Amino acid sequence: EEMKKKYWDARHNCSAYVLGERQELMRCSDDGEPSQTAGKPMLDVLMGEGLMDVCAVVTRYFGGTLLGTGGLVRAYSGAVKEGLANAQILEKKQGVRMEVITDYNGVGKIQYLAAQEGIDTLDSQYTDKVVFIFLVPGEQEESFKAKLVESTNGRAVIRTDGEVYYGKCGGELILL
């Protein structure tokens, strides 16, 4: 709907999307093109790549040349392939925000442990105490927590602040 409003003067805004961890929800639209010549070929490309939680919209203006059904299929599937070739695919992972409060004596130990475990630091605040906010992958939550307790002799206050989804793209952390 957003693309139809943005490109209101285009003849067709065809779409396909795949949602869910097991690709449970799939839909496509030919938006006025002949049946099965736009949305389905687009959906086939997305499915063939094994993607999920993705949407593709191809906007087409009529240029005076009739493409025929084969030409439409090639044009729409080719546009999605080209878009994917120029996109960065992000693997979505589940994690938790973990708040760790410590005195200044525990800072070095905690920073060292986080670096050793490959845990990303989202924020740190230095006042009379030090507060770290870490992004901990879901599968590392319990072991990281245990290592924090051990390395600080139980003096650090550790709280998990809810589930988050994230990914890394070009080394950059992206919270979803």
Side-chain angles (χ1 to χ4, degrees), residues 87-91 93 166-176:
Q88 292 191 349
I89 307 299
L90 185 67
E91 182 182 347
K93 298 178 182 179
Y166 68 97
K168 288 191 178 179
C169 187
E172 182 182 341
L173 182 66
I174 300 171
L175 297 175
L176 306 172

Side-chain angles (χ1 to χ4, degrees), residues 3 8 13 17 32 45 47 61 67 69 73 82 114 120 123 148 151 174:
M3 294 298 111
W8 58 270
N13 287 285
Y17 62 85
V45 171
M47 296 292 294
Y61 290 86
L67 299 177
T69 57
V73 168
E82 184 71 23
D120 291 296
D123 192 20
L148 282 169
S151 69
I174 300 171

Side-chain angles (χ1 to χ4, degrees), residues 16-63:
Y17 62 85
V18 180
L19 302 174
E21 287 185 27
R22 289 177 225 68
Q23 300 174 323
E24 298 93 85
L25 183 60
M26 299 175 280
R27 296 280 187 276
C28 59
S29 168
D30 293 317
D31 192 37
E33 292 284 24
S35 181
Q36 306 288 308
T37 61
K40 179 74 168 89
M42 294 169 60
L43 183 61
D44 289 344
V45 171
L46 297 177
M47 296 292 294
E49 293 293 322
L51 298 174
M52 60 195 101
D53 296 333
V54 64
C55 177
V57 178
V58 175
T59 299
R60 186 170 89 87
Y61 290 86
F62 183 67

Side-chain angles (χ1 to χ4, degrees), residues 41 49 70 98 103 110-111 130 138 175-176:
E49 293 293 322
M98 186 178 288
D103 57 23
I110 292 170
Q111 288 175 323
V130 180
L175 297 175
L176 306 172

